[in-house]
Amino acid sequence: MLNVYKAKPKASLLGKTFTFHIDDSDYEVHGISKHEQKIAFVSAALPGEKVQARVLEDKAGFLKASTVKVLQASALRITPPCRFAVQCGGCQLQHISINNQRELKQQGIDKLIRHQTGLVNLPWQPMLTAADSGYRRRARIGIWYDKKQRRLSVGFRQSADKQIVAVDNCMVLSPMLAPVFSVLNQVLNQLKDPAAVTHAEVLEAGSNAFVILRHIKALTDAEQQLFINAWPEAVWLGEAEPGVFNYWQQPAVPQYQLIEQQLSLQFAPDDFIQVNAALNQQMVTQALNWLNISVNDTVLDLYSGIGNFTLALAQRAKTVRAVEGVAKMVQQLATNAKLNGLSNVEAYQADLHLAWPKAQWNRPVYNKVLLDPARAGAQGATEQIVKLKPAQILYVSCNAATFARDARVLLQGGYKLDKIGGVDMFAHTSHLELMALFSR
């Protein structure tokens, strides 16, 4: 009988704790180190530090680990301003000052993009910034009721864990939404079955605070009234099924304003909107300025959502054609255009990651294109944008890695990068959004 030698698989390092010497940081401000010839990405670790970290992922070519103890601290390390920061998974960078956060994020992204594209230097513009507290107008709040211990936890998930960190306040949440923690703790404990509510979403829209409760069991009229009585200024909705909302009071349509453009946008409770109103306004204004929109422009707005950029573009352009993958958001965009008196907007539904269909919007008639995709980026769409041969392309990105991949396609298609700037939409987190202008 032939015996075939098989090497024993190496034991997994998952869950084990090791000491790491941090040499550098990546585009998400994770510390970079090495362990047994593997590169290691260590969260909450800074260049020059020595830390103990627990391995969360053990892959063929790399490790991901989380700092559990700092043995030798960087001069950049500070005491987090929020007492929940160490456990809460919402803010990853509160151990660094806000200015140093922004610098490290941009430095890491600069290295990533230059590596992926081959560009020697990037034409960085001043970063768009705003207040680093009280900025979130939308947040999802976790709720967990331990039936054995009869203990309720209301807050946010731990980093890399499903456990809920109970909090009574959040420094980055809008002050209008601040009562939500005390109200939920007060009322949930009065329900016949507190486990019936699994999470809440809070939303500041105009002058109203909205609270959407996801529940897996029906709540009686009396139980609904308990929430209303505890916070009567808020608009309360139940969500027994995903995307199906039941107003417990007089219905109110969520909306927000773009003040500089004097625009008002309505949206459904589950539609995407930017969580930072101040930076969203700056971002829209910068898009108009960078593209230098005029009455002679025919503009294509891709991944247009409910019209956040579309309507502002339409105020200045000859025609704007907007394309979005979610049908109900396409309808909402058309409604918003009508409500704001804009007749030069055309809204279309299409999956932009698939081969583009022969359609009115898919023609080489545009001199300017704006795209604002989700974190997956615009793979497949960038090749088709190049075929339209617009003079300028403005790419708004919420993921530096997918942006770098897509930028390479545009550069290979004959475009050059004229401007790039960061948008610190989520202060105290590892995320930095980007705006990049390409031309041919």
Side-chain angles (χ1 to χ4, degrees):
M1 181 176 179
L2 179 63
N3 290 320
V4 179
Y5 171 76
K6 290 184 179 179
K8 290 184 178 180
K10 289 187 176 180
S12 174
L13 303 180
L14 192 65
K16 295 183 178 180
T17 299
F18 300 97
T19 298
F20 296 92
H21 295 265
I22 308 302
D23 304 314
D24 202 351
S25 61
D26 69 1
Y27 73 99
E28 292 183 312
V29 199
H30 295 140
I32 298 176
S33 183
K34 277 193 173 181
H35 180 82
E36 296 179 352
Q37 306 307 309
K38 284 187 179 182
I39 191 168
F41 299 98
V42 185
S43 64
L46 296 169
E49 291 189 329
K50 181 168 73 170
V51 303
Q52 287 182 343
R54 182 169 59 91
V55 176
L56 304 178
E57 291 185 38
D58 183 3
K59 302 296 184 182
F62 66 90
L63 301 175
K64 286 188 177 181
S66 178
T67 299
V68 294
K69 186 177 182 179
V70 179
L71 303 176
Q72 181 178 317
S74 163
L76 297 181
R77 184 174 287 275
I78 65 169
T79 300
C82 173
R83 70 180 189 273
F84 304 111
V86 175
Q87 289 82 30
C88 178
C91 296
Q92 303 91 38
L93 299 182
Q94 286 203 13
H95 58 288
I96 318 169
S97 72
I98 188 64
N99 289 334
N100 286 329
Q101 288 177 32
R102 291 165 177 163
E103 183 177 352
L104 287 171
K105 286 194 279 191
Q106 182 165 309
Q107 286 177 357
I109 288 172
D110 180 85
K111 287 184 287 188
L112 171 72
I113 294 173
R114 287 190 292 106
H115 175 73
Q116 292 291 330
T117 63
L119 293 173
V120 177
N121 295 299
L122 302 184
W124 285 102
Q125 307 300 304
M127 187 181 296
L128 299 183
T129 63
D132 64 335
S133 64
Y135 66 82
R136 284 198 72 109
R137 60 178 170 181
R138 186 172 210 159
R140 178 172 169 145
I141 298 171
I143 298 169
W144 176 254
Y145 183 72
D146 189 322
K147 292 184 177 180
K148 291 183 178 179
Q149 299 187 31
R150 296 186 178 182
R151 186 176 63 190
L152 178 70
S153 296
V154 176
F156 302 104
R157 295 193 185 281
Q158 293 184 24
S159 179
D161 201 318
K162 293 183 179 181
Q163 294 298 313
I164 300 295
V165 178
V167 305
D168 55 20
N169 70 84
C170 174
M171 67 169 284
V172 300
L173 194 63
S174 162
M176 180 186 286
L177 304 176
V180 68
F181 300 104
S182 61
V183 169
L184 291 177
N185 275 296
Q186 171 193 335
V187 179
L188 288 168
N189 276 311
Q190 300 179 54
L191 301 183
K192 181 179 180 181
D193 182 6
V197 180
T198 58
H199 68 259
E201 185 160 357
V202 287
L203 168 67
E204 177 184 332
S207 59
N208 291 320
F210 289 75
V211 188
I212 304 161
L213 293 186
R214 177 77 172 96
H215 54 93
I216 55 176
K217 294 181 180 179
L219 300 178
T220 67
D221 291 345
E223 288 176 323
Q224 294 174 16
Q225 194 62 44
L226 288 173
F227 289 101
I228 296 169
N229 292 343
W231 192 4
E233 298 81 10
V235 179
W236 290 88
L237 299 85
E239 187 185 12
E241 300 176 30
V244 179
F245 303 100
N246 176 34
Y247 283 86
W248 295 349
Q249 306 135 289
Q250 185 70 24
V253 180
Q255 59 183 305
Y256 69 88
Q257 286 69 44
L258 292 173
I259 303 298
E260 293 181 21
Q261 288 73 35
Q262 297 183 3
L263 292 167
S264 181
L265 287 84
Q266 296 183 354
F267 59 96
D270 56 343
D271 284 343
F272 171 81
I273 65 166
Q274 295 286 2
V275 302
N276 190 322
L279 276 167
N280 184 58
Q281 176 66 75
Q282 291 187 51
M283 199 164 56
V284 170
T285 300
Q286 181 161 279
L288 296 174
N289 293 337
W290 281 14
L291 284 170
N292 192 25
I293 300 296
S294 73
V295 294
N296 297 317
D297 291 328
T298 300
V299 185
L300 180 63
D301 182 13
L302 303 174
Y303 308 93
S304 54
I306 63 169
N308 187 58
F309 289 103
T310 313
L311 304 189
L313 293 167
Q315 286 182 320
R316 300 188 184 187
K318 178 182 178 181
T319 302
V320 179
R321 293 194 175 108
V323 187
E324 163 60 39
V326 181
K328 75 181 188 70
M329 294 181 77
V330 175
Q331 182 58 53
Q332 187 64 65
L333 189 157
T335 298
N336 284 331
K338 185 176 181 180
L339 289 173
N340 286 278
L342 295 167
S343 59
N344 59 338
V345 174
E346 300 173 17
Y348 300 88
Q349 191 273 329
D351 187 337
L352 293 166
H353 299 289
L354 303 178
W356 288 3
K358 290 183 179 180
Q360 176 71 12
W361 62 267
N362 184 18
R363 297 188 298 155
V365 296
Y366 309 102
N367 58 327
K368 295 173 183 178
V369 170
L370 185 149
L371 66 154
D372 182 15
R375 290 187 59 79
Q379 189 168 30
T382 44
E383 291 86 351
Q384 298 178 93
I385 294 171
V386 169
K387 293 178 182 178
L388 296 177
K389 299 181 180 180
Q392 291 181 302
I393 300 169
L394 180 60
Y395 193 134
V396 182
S397 168
C398 59
N399 186 323
T402 56
F403 167 80
R405 177 201 66 203
D406 296 339
R408 187 167 62 244
V409 174
L410 297 178
L411 294 169
Q412 291 171 350
Y415 287 85
K416 64 183 180 68
L417 180 61
D418 290 331
K419 295 180 180 181
I420 184 170
V423 182
D424 197 24
M425 187 71 68
F426 303 92
H428 302 299
T429 78
S430 59
H431 299 286
L432 185 68
E433 307 221 345
L434 299 172
M435 298 181 71
L437 183 66
F438 296 84
S439 68
R440 55 179 302 147

